[in-house]
Amino acid sequence: MRFVGAVTSVLLASTACAASTSRYFNRQFSNSTGYQLQKGPLDTDWTSKVGTNPWPEYPRPRLARSNWKNLNGVWQYQNASAGEVASPPINRTLSESILVPFCIESALSGTVPLSPVPVSKLTISGIMRKWAIYSWYRTTFEVPSDWDASNRVYLNFGAVDYETTVWVNGKNATYHRGGYWEFGVDVTDYLHANGPNELIVWVYDPTDTGDNQIPLGKQSLAQDHIFYTPCSGIWQTVWLESAPADYISQLDISADMNGKVNVTVLNGGNSSVPVEVTVHKKDSTDVKATGKGTSGSTFQFTVDSPDLWSPDDPNLYNLTIKLGSDIVQSYTGFRTIEKGRVDGVLRFILNGEPIFPFGTLDQGFWPDGIYLAPTYEALTYDIKILKDIGYNMLRKHIKAEPPLFYYAADTMGLLLIQDMPSLRTRVPKPGDTCGDTIPVRDAAVQAEFDRQLEILIQQHRNYPSIFAWVIYNEGWGQPDQPPWADVRLTDVVRSLDPTRLIDSVTGWYDHGAGDFQDNHHYAQPQCGTPFYSINSSPFNPDEDRIGFQGEFGGNGNNVSIDHLWNDPWPLDHINQTYELDKDIETWNYRAHYILSELIDQVDRFACSGAVWTQTTDVEGEVNGMMTYDRRIIRAQYDQWNDDIDKLQDTFKGRTEKESSRMMPRADGWMGME
């Protein structure tokens, strides 16, 4: 894979609910830093390649600066308790070492396990740090001497789960809440003129303790079959940047199939400053177009006859953005996603042509890094395998990824449905694999969910690969009383991003909002069909919504212990998988049969897209295209390629005869004339 030209140089310029008792494994790596990679329940082929300088790539390709310094590596760490935030350990050595940026609970973090916690406290299974509710991090850094002394120095965090307080040289520099979102702070005034600077980070991550309800997705301290090991602490890259006082603090760019580019640049200095955007073709210095405006106001310009972005041809353009003396590199893809009626059926329309998005449910978990892939190579491996099988899409399931994940999808050509991480949905009980479903606790919880949903949109709306947003999954954290939150939040998301579609409710508790009528059913599909399961709303083809299979499949295949998450709890609950097949040959046979039903529904009914469960196994789930360690690919390529080709050919046969009559409507959607 080749990187986008202008961004490349920056990227490469790197300086059930009751749980079992824990089982501990010998450590397998150590060095002079004190860091020790631990041997977890399962590793991958990339685990041993991480070393002590992880994730050296520039972490934010959509807004990249040349003067930056990576702070990833071995930091000091110490488990803490409530109330310690009032007394940060300034100029004090902490008791352990940890590898940043991996979850405290992961083998790659290298943290030493605590003593086993009683089962009555519903600990997670696994062997790494348990109940990392309060934590201290500490490191030192120096600012490069060749940075412009008239510039400011900004400290950036890719993501920290969940609440973060930061001190620089003993001064409280910033506070942030939310486990999936990047944040930064100007630390210039806290820095020493010469010598090292001390950086201390306090992290509070309640996960699902007590009555806490925060956006956490599949994380749980009480692991069961579909809720996994949590991620606490610094789990994405930490870095410094040099930029002037007037600097590009936020960049929003969208580019459509007609070459129209919409740009909004925010100035961290809060003044209105001229902005210039220069567009280059990928791997070329030839200027395609230049747009000019001012910070704080949206402006437009046009690129003539752009090469369009699609999964088959993921064409990207490099961007150079100037605000005063601040210069950043970015990129975009020209594409338009809409919905429109083709032969009387609502379809997804990409660049004026009907498209059938078919992909996997992608959990984004790793046995060695938990929430973070061990390396960029590992991250791109999953996308490559999905593309090789024949998928053109994945649904990023109630988790947000590091920016480099979306960059990979943009460059490699994979459509994305992006979920909002869900609120906690249950109160687990000892010995009870389900627990009690809980409502949204109060108005403050809902307001915080709303706030973080807006952050999700704001930080991800630049990626061409994302074509739809999901607000709620299967009622998890979805208020069950009117006025319906999904209806209200659909309007909020539409106002923040009118260029994409919205799947307001995937699965059930559907109140008619958004662009999808989304069914979940295992193992057989019910995609745009006149029949439906008890949890799903009946499909009405006359509504202005698309018939979609948000989850189906889910058939599993157990494998040898060498490829399983080797911990008693998940091993004992593998039989909760929707369907278990004797061997890989049977798994592929069943997949072929299930896909034949989907193909028939595409031919007969209003099925317009589908999501197969899932990309990989995760802990006790064994229904992935690959095992959790990515060492076994279950899918027989020839069979899957043929079945997916037949699926797409069937869809094309239903749509191509009428697509030439599709015309744009005044409201921006496609329709029949």
Side-chain angles (χ1 to χ4, degrees):
M1 185 192 76
R2 293 190 299 173
F3 290 100
V4 181
V7 180
T8 305
S9 60
V10 180
L11 282 169
L12 300 182
S14 174
T15 51
C17 304
S20 62
T21 56
S22 303
R23 298 193 299 169
Y24 294 85
F25 293 76
N26 294 325
R27 300 169 188 158
Q28 61 184 26
F29 175 82
S30 65
N31 59 27
S32 59
T33 65
Y35 165 74
Q36 295 176 315
L37 169 65
Q38 298 200 30
K39 183 174 175 60
L42 188 65
D43 66 2
T44 71
D45 288 341
W46 299 275
T47 308
S48 62
K49 299 178 182 179
V50 172
T52 55
N53 293 294
W55 284 90
E57 297 84 3
Y58 185 85
R60 191 182 56 196
R62 75 180 188 279
L63 202 168
R65 290 188 173 87
S66 57
N67 288 330
W68 74 288
K69 181 176 181 177
N70 196 325
L71 298 186
N72 292 346
V74 180
W75 292 30
Q76 295 174 14
Y77 173 83
Q78 191 166 294
N79 191 50
S81 58
E84 289 186 27
V85 67
S87 303
I90 298 169
N91 295 322
R92 300 204 307 266
T93 300
L94 304 185
S95 59
E96 300 175 36
S97 294
I98 189 169
L99 188 64
V100 170
F102 292 103
C103 310
I104 296 169
E105 295 84 352
S106 72
L108 281 167
S109 75
T111 53
V112 178
L114 292 171
S115 299
V117 180
V119 174
S120 62
K121 290 194 69 175
L122 294 174
T123 66
I124 60 169
S125 57
I127 64 135
M128 304 305 139
R129 176 72 71 183
K130 307 297 184 298
W131 286 69
I133 310 300
Y134 305 97
S135 300
W136 286 114
Y137 287 79
R138 180 179 180 271
T139 191
T140 60
F141 65 88
E142 294 188 8
V143 177
S145 59
D146 59 348
W147 283 7
D148 188 338
S150 66
N151 275 0
R152 310 292 291 178
V153 177
Y154 299 91
L155 172 65
N156 300 295
F157 292 82
V160 183
D161 199 353
Y162 174 69
E163 293 184 14
T164 311
T165 308
V166 179
W167 290 262
V168 176
N169 292 326
K171 304 296 185 181
N172 190 324
T174 194
Y175 166 83
H176 180 265
R177 179 188 293 120
Y180 298 91
W181 325 122
E182 66 185 56
F183 63 97
V185 59
D186 182 345
V187 296
T188 313
D189 295 339
Y190 310 128
L191 299 177
H192 293 320
N194 298 296
N197 297 276
E198 182 184 50
L199 172 59
I200 294 174
V201 179
W202 163 268
V203 180
Y204 166 57
D205 183 16
T207 311
D208 53 357
T209 56
D211 64 349
N212 285 289
Q213 278 187 298
I214 62 175
L216 46 62
K218 286 293 193 83
Q219 302 179 70
S220 180
L221 288 164
Q223 177 188 11
D224 75 2
H225 187 62
I226 62 169
F227 292 89
Y228 320 129
T229 301
C231 175
S232 301
I234 302 171
W235 69 278
Q236 293 185 30
T237 292
V238 185
W239 78 102
L240 296 173
E241 284 185 326
S242 173
D246 283 323
Y247 72 105
I248 299 170
S249 59
Q250 183 174 319
L251 172 65
D252 292 319
I253 292 182
S254 63
D256 69 18
M257 61 181 285
N258 298 312
K260 182 179 178 181
V261 183
N262 280 274
V263 182
T264 305
V265 174
L266 298 186
N267 176 11
N270 295 319
S271 60
S272 181
V273 176
V275 174
E276 180 179 277
V277 179
T278 305
V279 182
H280 299 267
K281 184 75 181 292
K282 180 181 177 181
D283 300 326
S284 171
T285 58
D286 294 337
V287 175
K288 293 287 293 183
T290 299
K292 296 182 178 181
T294 56
S295 59
S297 300
T298 300
F299 60 95
Q300 297 84 27
F301 63 96
T302 300
V303 173
D304 293 334
S305 304
D307 294 330
L308 302 184
W309 186 95
S310 71
D312 293 333
D313 293 297
N315 296 298
L316 295 174
Y317 285 76
N318 297 322
L319 307 173
T320 300
I321 300 96
K322 297 180 181 181
L323 183 152
S325 60
D326 192 20
I327 301 175
V328 301
Q329 303 296 326
S330 189
Y331 70 94
T332 195
F334 290 84
R335 59 95 182 113
T336 299
I337 183 72
E338 302 168 292
K339 63 181 179 181
R341 291 196 184 276
V342 185
D343 196 17
V345 179
L346 274 171
R347 304 294 192 186
F348 298 102
I349 310 297
L350 177 64
N351 300 330
E353 298 292 335
I355 188 172
F356 190 94
F358 183 51
T360 56
L361 192 74
D362 194 88
Q363 310 274 9
F365 275 75
W366 293 80
D368 43 13
I370 306 298
Y371 241 29
L372 180 64
T375 65
Y376 184 72
E377 178 187 8
L379 180 150
T380 59
Y381 178 82
D382 280 9
I383 295 177
K384 178 183 182 300
I385 295 302
L386 294 178
K387 293 277 290 185
D388 288 346
I389 291 170
Y391 291 113
N392 64 2
M393 178 268 286
L394 66 77
R395 176 185 162 201
K396 177 50 61 179
H397 189 38
I398 50 180
K399 178 198 176 189
E401 292 283 0
L404 283 167
F405 172 85
Y406 303 96
Y407 176 73
D410 290 341
T411 57
M412 299 174 72
L414 196 66
L415 287 163
L416 302 179
I417 297 175
Q418 176 62 56
D419 290 15
M420 172 63 188
S422 60
L423 292 170
R424 175 186 186 183
T425 185
R426 67 196 182 121
V427 176
K429 297 178 178 179
D432 180 357
T433 61
C434 297
D436 293 333
T437 300
I438 56 176
V440 175
R441 189 185 68 203
D442 53 36
V445 167
Q446 184 64 48
E448 183 62 22
F449 179 86
D450 295 359
R451 185 187 73 88
Q452 294 194 34
L453 173 64
E454 293 190 22
I455 296 174
L456 169 73
I457 308 302
Q458 291 164 354
Q459 293 192 359
H460 294 81
R461 59 189 171 193
N462 277 8
Y463 300 114
S465 52
I466 297 177
F467 77 97
W469 308 107
V470 169
I471 301 175
Y472 287 112
N473 173 75
E474 295 183 354
W476 296 6
Q478 178 183 357
D480 58 359
Q481 299 292 326
W484 305 118
D486 48 301
V487 176
R488 174 180 57 83
L489 290 175
T490 298
D491 292 337
V492 171
V493 173
R494 190 86 74 195
S495 69
L496 292 169
D497 180 15
T499 72
R500 291 178 175 85
L501 303 180
I502 303 173
D503 190 352
S504 305
V505 174
T506 176
W508 41 84
Y509 306 128
D510 184 352
H511 303 105
D515 304 305
F516 292 56
Q517 202 288 319
D518 186 339
N519 178 290
H520 291 187
H521 192 255
Y522 290 95
Q524 280 68 29
Q526 297 178 343
C527 185
T529 63
F531 50 87
Y532 58 96
S533 59
I534 190 171
N535 285 324
S536 300
S537 301
F539 179 70
N540 182 354
D542 296 324
E543 291 181 358
D544 196 26
R545 298 196 300 163
I546 300 170
F548 191 74
Q549 188 70 52
E551 295 179 25
F552 81 116
N555 53 317
N557 156 247
N558 205 352
V559 291
S560 70
I561 193 66
D562 292 339
H563 304 285
L564 292 171
W565 181 253
N566 191 356
D567 186 86
W569 176 262
L571 291 177
D572 289 347
H573 291 77
I574 284 175
N575 63 358
Q576 290 186 8
T577 301
Y578 300 105
E579 173 184 304
L580 278 172
D581 303 324
K582 179 180 179 182
D583 48 40
I584 290 179
E585 289 72 23
T586 306
W587 183 89
N588 278 281
Y589 162 76
R590 287 290 295 143
H592 172 71
Y593 179 81
I594 293 168
L595 286 176
S596 71
E597 290 190 71
L598 180 68
I599 293 168
D600 191 56
Q601 290 173 15
V602 171
D603 187 45
R604 291 174 179 268
F605 306 121
C607 180
S608 295
V611 178
W612 179 274
T613 304
Q614 56 188 341
T615 303
T616 71
D617 296 353
V618 185
E619 299 191 4
E621 293 189 33
V622 292
N623 52 356
M625 307 301 294
M626 296 176 278
T627 52
Y628 197 20
D629 61 2
R630 278 73 169 171
R631 291 188 174 104
I632 295 177
I633 301 172
R634 289 190 178 93
Q636 295 175 356
Y637 281 107
D638 289 346
Q639 174 192 308
W640 278 81
N641 289 169
D642 288 347
D643 285 343
I644 293 177
D645 283 348
K646 185 176 181 181
L647 172 67
Q648 295 293 352
D649 287 345
T650 300
F651 175 76
K652 183 179 180 181
R654 280 207 60 181
T655 59
E656 65 180 0
K657 63 183 179 181
E658 298 288 346
S659 61
S660 62
R661 293 172 51 204
M662 294 172 56
M663 299 293 290
R665 294 207 317 245
D667 62 4
W669 298 114
M670 302 295 289
M672 292 298 299
E673 291 291 334

